[in-house]
Amino acid sequence: MGIFSTIMSKIFGHAEAAPASGATAAPAAAPQATTAPSPAAPSAPSAPVDVEAVLTDLASKNGQSLNWRQSIVDLLKLLGLDSSLQSRKELAQELHYTGSTDDTATMNVWLIKQVMQKLAENGGKVPEELKH
C-alpha cells in the first residue's frame, strides 16, 4: 500500500467514525443522515467524504497546533503517519513529482496541493482553495 493510499484510508476511515462533526460542518450532511443507518454506506459512500470536516475534527482532538491546510508535514502528523523527509520524497515519487526533491520547500508545497487534489479525485469533498 502506498503512502497516498494510507492517507486516503485514514481520512475516509475517520469519516465513518465522525458523522456528527460532518453534520455541523457541511450542509450536505443532512441528506446523509437518512443514509447513515445503512452499514454498507461507510465502505462504499454514495456521497463524497468531507475531507475538510474530517481533518478539522481530527485537529480539534489533537494536542498539537497543526497547520494541515498548508503543511504536508502537519497533515502527515495529524494522520499519525511518518512525516520524515524520506517519507515525503517517497510520496513525491508516488505522485509523480518532477521537480527536485532537494528543494524541500517547493516539494512540500506541491505535495499538500497534490494530495488534496488526489483526495478530491478519489471521492473526497475538498474546498477549491486547498487544491490550488
Side-chain angles (χ1 to χ4, degrees):
M1 177 185 284
I3 297 170
F4 178 73
S5 296
T6 303
I7 291 169
M8 199 167 82
S9 173
K10 293 256 184 189
I11 293 171
F12 290 10
H14 282 301
E16 302 169 9
S21 60
T24 58
Q32 290 175 342
T34 58
T35 59
S38 169
S43 61
S46 58
V49 172
D50 189 338
V51 173
E52 183 178 34
V54 170
L55 294 174
T56 300
D57 182 59
L58 287 173
S60 73
K61 297 173 184 173
N62 188 299
Q64 302 177 58
S65 178
L66 298 173
N67 184 9
W68 60 266
R69 294 172 179 273
Q70 297 177 329
S71 169
I72 189 67
V73 172
D74 285 359
L75 175 65
L76 293 169
K77 285 181 181 180
L78 182 62
L79 297 173
L81 301 173
D82 180 7
S83 62
S84 70
L85 177 57
Q86 181 59 38
S87 179
R88 287 178 279 131
K89 284 183 176 185
E90 288 175 27
L91 179 60
Q93 182 178 17
E94 182 180 331
L95 298 178
H96 308 292
Y97 180 62
T98 58
S100 170
T101 56
D102 292 329
D103 182 358
T104 58
T106 301
M107 180 184 71
N108 287 347
V109 169
W110 183 89
L111 279 173
I112 190 67
K113 291 177 183 178
Q114 190 67 21
V115 164
M116 292 299 170
Q117 180 66 41
K118 292 286 186 188
L119 287 168
E121 291 171 7
N122 285 281
K125 179 181 162 220
V126 178
E128 283 300 314
E129 68 270 12
L130 296 181
K131 294 187 279 185
H132 303 286

